Amino acid sequence: MKKYISLWLLSCMYMLTNAQIATVRDRENYQPLELVTFASQDPAASAITNAKGQADLSGFSGSATIEIRMMGYKTKRLSYEALKAANFQVYLEQSAISLDQVVVSATRWGQPNREIPSKITSISTKQVNLMNPQTAADLLGASGEVYIQKSQLGGGSPMIRGFATNRLLIVVDGVRMNTAIFRSGNLQNVISLDPFAMGSTEVLFGPGGVIYGSDAIGGVMSFRTLTPLLGDNGSPLVTGNAVMRYSSASREVTGHVDVNVGWKKWGILTSFSQNVFGDLRMGSHGPDDYLRSFYVQRQDSVDVVVTNIDPEVQTPTGYNQVNLMQKVRYSPNDNLDINYGFHYSTTTNVSRYDRLLRTRQGLPRSAEWYYGPQEWMMNVLDIQHRRSSGIYDQANVRLAYQFFEESRHDRDFNKPVKRNRTENVDALSANLDLSKAVGEKHHFYYGIEAVYNNVASSGTDENIRTGNVEPGPSRYPQSKWGSYGAYLSYQYKVSENISLLAGGRFNYFTLDAEFDTTFYPFPFTAASVRDGGLSGSIGTVYNPTEKWSFSMNLSSGFRTPNVDDLGKVFDSEPGSVIVPNPDLQTENGYNVDIGAAKVFNDFMKIDVAAYFTYLDNAMVRRAWQLNGMDSIWYDGEYSQVQAVQNAAYATVYGIQAGLELKLPLGFGLTSRFNYQKGEEELDDGSKSPLRHAAPWFGTTGLTFSAEKLKMDLYAIYSGEVSYENLPPEEQAKTYMYALNNDGNPYSPAWYTLNFKVMYQITDIFSVSGGVENLTDVRYRPYSSGITAPGRNFILSLRAAF
């Protein structure tokens, strides 16, 4: 027995001494690089690095030229002896500025950005690590091309090209996150996603109706979470990250860990994050209108107005959040890849801060107004198959089940009854996406989709003095919503310099709702809607050289009425109540995009895109009658009756521009600028500003990189929205805005200066931090109900193994 053990040990030692393991790292941050290819002609050999940046070069012995290549990095050519002399340690330098980038969101398959007529922005993991965004909404805002509105600290509603909420689509691992209760008011569902668990993030600007179906009018936000990595033939591959972060403005304490274990065919990945946020402190220099001078406390069974001893602290705004992700991957061969993912996120109660600012007759309107825990759970099974013949080259089957729970709880000042409204959504979806190349010039992308939502809504009225709980009106009718579509997209490579992409989609949707007339005398008890329609796109890209690119795209998007549009009852603003309208129809958006990009001598890139969107048959809130009455009593207030109706059109036009400059000595300059102008038709035929068209905004930064150090000094800025340019519904929200010299609300212009730094201490440990809002400006982004953080110190420690 000892003889066999000795032979086994000797053979293992022989294998280890003869296996030449090369490690490839990024020259700037010393992080290992995955998917770097080694190639040699004599001897003929190839290898690819794993997640630790390692590759076995035993088969390359004696090679005079080994080519080491990875997209985004300069190619290296070294001999085997040169590698051996360097102890098989390779450092790749990032390539000069170029127009090359691979994106997925345009067709659901990876493609060079230079072949896509739509504008797509990618947010890299490196950028996320340096910026340290607290939420996925902040992650989108870091792009400099997405405007973020917040009604409370636990919020974040993206605005893209004049559209927001249910006119934008959120996609997670290829699964639509939008549900049948996504509303036109500001949403915070995107914060359910964990920035630490993101592998990549893309934003597709403009309609994406052909590939993604309903809601993709203003754009698509596509999040790809981490994927389990597989090992090689040897020992299991074990990688992971651990992060601790603190930020001062909200006294945030965040912890994260993810661990990956991969074998040859199996891989598992676990990710966990926890965030603890305290009350948010605003800046010291800005409008006094934003100060929080009071808040409400319950003392001896009485609501009491308490003077805030520090009015720069926004009380109450703190909350906690937990995110969990578990993935399992099985890849029996090179042609089949099966992934299962489990996602879960929940928060504690989140105070609706802007509602707590409202007053009535000199006293707070609400004693309590908060969202209950925002819960999201998703199970998704993803099967990818590749073949070289037949009706497809690549196929992807995606089956998903999601569960959403959200609730609202509010009680008027010194009133005993608290209104509790809870919504649950079960969302099922199935997607089949296929890709087929015919020769070198023709490529087809096609597929089918089925989505089904079941909405359960309930309400109770709770007397906090007696503890008695009685049934109350629900926010929504009990509803079932379905969407079924098929699409075909065709890419034709006309020549080496010109490509064409065109596609179409047919979509059919159903909505069935049952109304409870116990609390409101609706003239109907049920609604059933059936509708279908076509959407399409056609675009071209012309690349005269590697340094120039021109694009033009015509596209359409649509939004089918959902349960929130057709059936909800709620107060949109003081003195108004929204009631159901069972006669809604689909709204359609038509868009034209023109873009150009130019690289100058490998050190400067300029890109610009101009667009115009026309929204027809727009679903908007307008005056309505219920049983012949234009006003009813709602929650103790006589309120004007309104309903969502197909009663208007809207237009948006704008430009997006960017500059990237590589300067000597490791310095660089980046800048993004966005201008949009939106208008909406009113009942009398006149026009008003479109609510979700943000003011001009952007970011400009000076960067520095040197070996293990990376720094960024940058400014974020936004233009003013005067009282005259506020939409009518915003003009009524005096409690949210600063007041001009005439006492009218407006949104002042603002800018912040910020500094971020990241240093790679060792191969494992890195530290990052910085200061946001260096000058401690007090500002509130347009349409937001909460004031942005004041001077904010951030410190983060990361371990990557």
Side-chain angles (χ1 to χ4, degrees):
M1 186 66 179
K2 291 182 180 180
K3 174 182 176 182
Y4 291 113
I5 293 175
S6 299
L7 287 173
W8 178 77
L9 289 172
L10 285 172
S11 63
C12 288
M13 291 176 62
Y14 176 82
M15 290 172 63
L16 288 171
T17 55
N18 283 274
Q20 302 299 338
I21 305 299
T23 302
V24 185
R25 299 182 185 276
D26 185 298
R27 170 66 69 183
E28 284 189 6
N29 56 31
Y30 285 63
Q31 288 298 296
L33 296 176
E34 185 187 7
L35 301 179
V36 178
T37 60
F38 289 78
S40 168
Q41 292 185 351
D42 185 19
S46 64
I48 300 177
T49 59
N50 59 21
K52 291 186 175 182
Q54 297 176 339
D56 186 354
L57 301 189
S58 301
F60 290 76
S61 180
S63 175
T65 304
I66 300 175
E67 186 176 85
I68 308 167
R69 178 187 294 272
M70 183 180 182
M71 180 173 286
Y73 290 82
K74 292 181 179 179
T75 299
K76 268 195 171 185
R77 293 175 178 85
L78 299 170
S79 67
Y80 183 83
E81 290 303 317
L83 282 169
K84 187 176 181 180
N87 294 320
F88 294 97
Q89 299 295 310
V90 180
Y91 297 92
L92 292 186
E93 182 180 348
Q94 294 184 27
S95 59
I97 297 172
S98 74
L99 299 176
D100 293 322
Q101 190 177 30
V102 175
V103 294
V104 176
S105 54
T107 61
R108 292 187 182 266
W109 302 98
Q111 290 177 280
N113 203 11
R114 289 167 56 90
E115 297 180 2
I116 304 300
S118 301
K119 175 177 171 56
I120 298 176
T121 290
S122 298
I123 304 172
S124 68
T125 303
K126 290 181 182 179
Q127 185 178 0
V128 173
N129 291 343
L130 178 63
M131 290 294 106
N132 272 309
Q134 291 184 332
T135 68
D138 298 326
L139 183 155
L140 291 168
S143 69
E145 297 181 280
V146 179
Y147 200 89
I148 302 298
Q149 180 277 348
K150 292 186 179 183
S151 298
Q152 62 278 335
L153 182 59
S157 187
M159 296 182 181
I160 299 176
R161 290 189 170 186
F163 298 102
T165 60
N166 54 18
R167 287 174 179 154
L168 300 176
L169 184 66
I170 303 172
V171 177
V172 185
D173 289 343
V175 179
R176 59 180 292 129
M177 193 181 195
N178 292 37
T179 70
I181 62 171
F182 265 41
R183 56 189 180 273
S184 60
N186 298 307
L187 290 167
Q188 60 267 6
N189 295 74
V190 74
I191 73 165
S192 291
L193 306 179
D194 184 4
F196 290 110
M198 293 302 143
S200 65
T201 303
E202 294 178 4
V203 181
L204 184 152
F205 294 89
V210 170
I211 302 298
Y212 294 100
S214 181
D215 302 0
I217 293 178
V220 178
M221 297 160 283
S222 178
F223 298 88
R224 295 272 173 177
T225 59
L226 298 171
T227 299
L229 303 173
L230 302 179
D232 49 27
N233 293 326
S235 58
L237 172 69
V238 181
T239 61
N241 296 276
V243 181
M244 287 296 297
R245 183 177 66 210
Y246 171 80
S247 63
S248 63
S250 61
R251 304 193 312 279
E252 174 213 6
V253 177
T254 288
H256 166 80
V257 63
D258 64 77
V259 179
N260 182 101
V261 181
W263 296 269
K264 183 178 181 181
K265 296 182 178 181
W266 287 89
I268 57 174
L269 172 70
T270 302
S271 173
F272 176 80
S273 298
Q274 183 170 21
N275 312 90
V276 177
F277 300 103
D279 290 340
L280 181 64
R281 173 178 288 277
M282 66 180 76
S284 300
H285 310 294
D288 290 343
D289 307 283
Y290 298 155
L291 292 172
R292 178 64 159 157
S293 59
F294 70 90
Y295 56 91
V296 176
Q297 277 189 348
R298 188 77 172 167
Q299 298 178 3
D300 298 325
S301 301
V302 176
D303 293 328
V304 177
V305 178
V306 178
T307 300
N308 192 356
I309 59 174
D310 189 348
E312 292 179 0
V313 175
Q314 301 174 83
T315 304
T317 50
Y319 77 102
N320 300 341
Q321 181 167 334
V322 170
N323 283 83
L324 172 66
M325 182 178 75
Q326 180 65 59
K327 286 193 171 184
V328 179
R329 180 181 179 186
Y330 175 58
S331 185
N333 53 59
D334 292 339
N335 296 322
L336 184 62
D337 200 358
I338 302 172
N339 283 269
Y340 165 74
F342 171 78
H343 305 255
Y344 180 76
S345 173
T346 189
T347 68
T348 57
N349 293 339
V350 178
S351 293
R352 177 71 187 265
Y353 182 75
D354 62 337
R355 293 296 179 99
L356 298 175
L357 300 177
R358 300 179 301 171
T359 59
R360 181 166 49 194
Q361 298 178 353
L363 292 173
R365 176 184 171 93
S366 299
E368 301 177 77
W369 212 122
Y370 61 91
Y371 291 109
Q374 178 174 290
E375 188 174 348
W376 171 63
M377 183 266 290
M378 180 171 77
N379 292 271
V380 57
L381 178 64
D382 189 291
I383 303 172
Q384 297 184 32
H385 185 251
R386 289 173 287 273
R387 58 186 297 177
S388 58
S389 61
I391 63 172
Y392 66 87
D393 297 326
Q394 299 179 85
N396 185 273
V397 177
R398 191 176 298 107
L399 306 174
Y401 166 70
Q402 298 178 83
F403 172 78
F404 301 81
E405 179 171 299
E406 57 186 55
S407 59
R408 294 159 179 81
H409 311 266
D410 71 288
R411 183 176 61 83
D412 291 344
F413 184 73
N414 268 328
K415 299 293 183 181
V417 176
K418 179 163 66 173
R419 295 170 287 273
N420 305 302
R421 309 292 182 257
T422 302
E423 287 76 52
N424 293 318
V425 180
D426 295 286
L428 298 168
S429 62
N431 291 80
L432 172 63
D433 300 297
L434 304 108
S435 169
K436 177 64 179 179
V438 180
E440 296 183 355
K441 293 190 173 184
H442 308 276
H443 211 131
F444 294 89
Y445 307 94
Y446 58 104
I448 56 176
E449 178 185 60
V451 181
Y452 175 81
N453 283 192
N454 183 72
V455 179
S457 183
S458 62
T460 60
D461 292 337
E462 175 187 0
N463 190 310
I464 64 170
R465 292 176 183 167
T466 65
N468 185 47
V469 178
E470 296 181 351
S474 62
R475 180 178 170 90
Y476 297 114
Q478 311 308 305
S479 309
K480 296 176 175 59
W481 181 88
S483 175
Y484 312 94
Y487 74 90
L488 170 65
S489 186
Y490 166 61
Q491 186 174 34
Y492 174 47
K493 197 166 182 62
V494 181
S495 66
E496 287 296 321
N497 301 326
I498 302 174
S499 62
L500 176 74
L501 184 64
R505 180 188 184 102
F506 175 77
N507 216 88
Y508 181 76
F509 87 95
T510 64
L511 197 164
D512 296 290
E514 297 179 359
F515 294 90
D516 184 355
T517 58
T518 302
F519 301 96
Y520 302 111
F522 299 131
F524 43 79
T525 58
S528 182
V529 182
R530 303 287 186 273
D531 199 5
L534 295 169
S535 61
S537 66
I538 182 168
T540 184
V541 180
Y542 173 50
N543 301 308
T545 69
E546 290 186 357
K547 309 298 184 183
W548 269 107
S549 182
F550 300 93
S551 63
M552 181 175 181
N553 194 46
L554 303 174
S555 57
S556 66
F558 64 94
R559 188 170 74 84
T560 59
N562 64 20
V563 177
D564 184 87
D565 299 312
L566 180 142
K568 72 179 170 186
V569 178
F570 88 115
D571 59 326
S572 60
E573 58 198 20
S576 297
V577 60
I578 304 293
V579 299
N581 175 13
D583 299 320
L584 279 176
Q585 298 175 347
T586 297
E587 62 181 12
N588 296 280
Y590 305 95
N591 180 80
V592 57
D593 260 280
I594 300 175
K598 166 68 174 173
V599 172
F600 298 87
N601 298 326
D602 294 333
F603 78 93
M604 181 171 68
K605 182 176 79 170
I606 297 176
D607 65 90
V608 62
Y611 61 90
F612 175 82
T613 305
Y614 178 83
L615 184 65
D616 188 32
N617 217 28
M619 288 183 269
V620 294
R621 293 199 301 260
R622 291 289 186 266
W624 188 255
Q625 288 190 347
L626 184 62
N627 293 327
M629 296 182 295
D630 59 9
S631 297
I632 62 173
W633 285 97
Y634 179 77
D635 283 349
E637 184 170 351
Y638 199 59
S639 302
Q640 180 193 32
V641 176
Q642 296 180 338
V644 177
Q645 306 169 50
N646 298 104
Y649 68 86
T651 59
V652 186
Y653 63 88
I655 61 169
Q656 295 173 282
L659 169 68
E660 186 177 350
L661 190 63
K662 222 171 187 181
L663 302 171
L665 304 176
F667 286 95
L669 180 72
T670 61
S671 186
R672 303 298 318 177
F673 179 79
N674 308 267
Y675 172 82
Q676 47 277 314
K677 176 75 172 179
E679 292 183 325
E680 178 182 282
E681 180 190 24
L682 298 179
D683 281 342
D684 60 4
S686 62
K687 297 179 181 178
S688 76
L690 192 62
R691 178 187 176 192
H692 290 131
W696 58 261
F697 69 98
T699 179
T700 300
L702 179 67
T703 62
F704 175 76
S705 297
E707 295 186 350
K708 300 181 179 183
L709 180 65
K710 189 173 182 65
M711 295 188 291
D712 192 358
L713 176 65
Y714 62 99
I716 304 174
Y717 39 85
S718 175
E720 175 185 304
V721 182
S722 66
Y723 173 73
E724 292 75 19
N725 288 323
L726 281 176
E729 60 265 42
E730 296 299 299
Q731 290 178 350
K733 300 174 182 177
T734 55
Y735 57 91
M736 271 179 30
Y737 290 96
L739 301 180
N740 62 20
N741 293 333
D742 297 324
N744 293 320
Y746 81 111
S747 179
W750 55 267
Y751 73 91
T752 63
L753 297 176
N754 314 270
F755 176 72
K756 298 289 178 66
V757 61
M758 182 167 63
Y759 183 72
Q760 192 71 36
I761 303 172
T762 68
D763 290 346
I764 294 177
F765 293 102
S766 65
V767 62
S768 62
V771 185
E772 295 176 338
N773 195 357
L774 280 160
T775 56
D776 205 26
V777 175
R778 182 186 303 147
Y779 71 99
R780 185 175 287 180
Y782 165 70
S783 191
S784 292
I786 188 171
T787 307
R791 186 180 294 116
N792 187 27
F793 295 92
I794 301 171
L795 180 63
S796 175
L797 180 65
R798 175 184 293 268
F801 54 91

